[in-house]
Amino acid sequence: MAAPAYNTVSWFQVGSDDPDGVKRFYGDLFGWNFTSDGGGKYDLISYAGAEQPNGGIAHTDAASQNHAIFLVIVEDVAAVVAETERLGGKVLAPPTTGPDGLVFAHLLDPSGNHFGVFTPPPAG
């Protein structure tokens, strides 16, 4: 399986304070399937024709935290964060490294649209 090309949208996330309702909605609407990531606060989204999950449902604590965003795979999260600021965007969450080595950040474009960038964990 080939890795997605850098600088392409390769993940999306829907955040909801009613994850079961959102899963039911998108499952019925598009035929998506869901599996827990094991932590209880995130479900992976998969669908027919996809070799692996391409999105997730984040369990939020309140409706004010609900969201839908896209994430772009990049080579260097910190460099993209700096370039975002240089181009007039803002940083919502600075580069963060997860336990598995995945690095991500949440940003706003100059119009206030939320998006994310990430570098996958090292192969291994």
Side-chain angles (χ1 to χ4, degrees):
M1 172 176 55
Y6 286 118
N7 301 321
T8 62
V9 175
S10 58
W11 192 262
F12 67 95
Q13 177 175 291
V14 177
S16 177
D17 62 328
D18 180 15
D20 290 334
V22 167
K23 289 189 289 187
R24 195 171 30 259
F25 174 80
Y26 286 111
D28 290 348
L29 185 64
F30 297 124
W32 293 354
N33 297 302
F34 307 91
T35 55
S36 174
D37 76 344
K41 297 287 282 173
Y42 204 82
D43 297 294
L44 303 174
I45 299 169
S46 58
Y47 41 84
E51 295 180 28
Q52 62 188 21
N54 293 65
I57 303 289
H59 302 207
T60 64
D61 294 326
S64 63
Q65 298 171 332
N66 292 352
H67 60 274
I69 65 170
F70 65 91
L71 292 102
V72 176
I73 188 170
V74 298
E75 290 184 77
D76 184 338
V77 170
V80 172
V81 167
E83 187 67 358
T84 295
E85 290 180 305
R86 188 186 77 74
L87 294 171
K90 293 186 173 35
V91 177
L92 288 177
T96 303
T97 303
D100 63 355
L102 178 131
V103 180
F104 65 92
H106 287 265
L107 309 166
L108 292 175
D109 70 19
S111 292
N113 296 303
H114 183 176
F115 69 102
V117 294
F118 74 99
T119 300

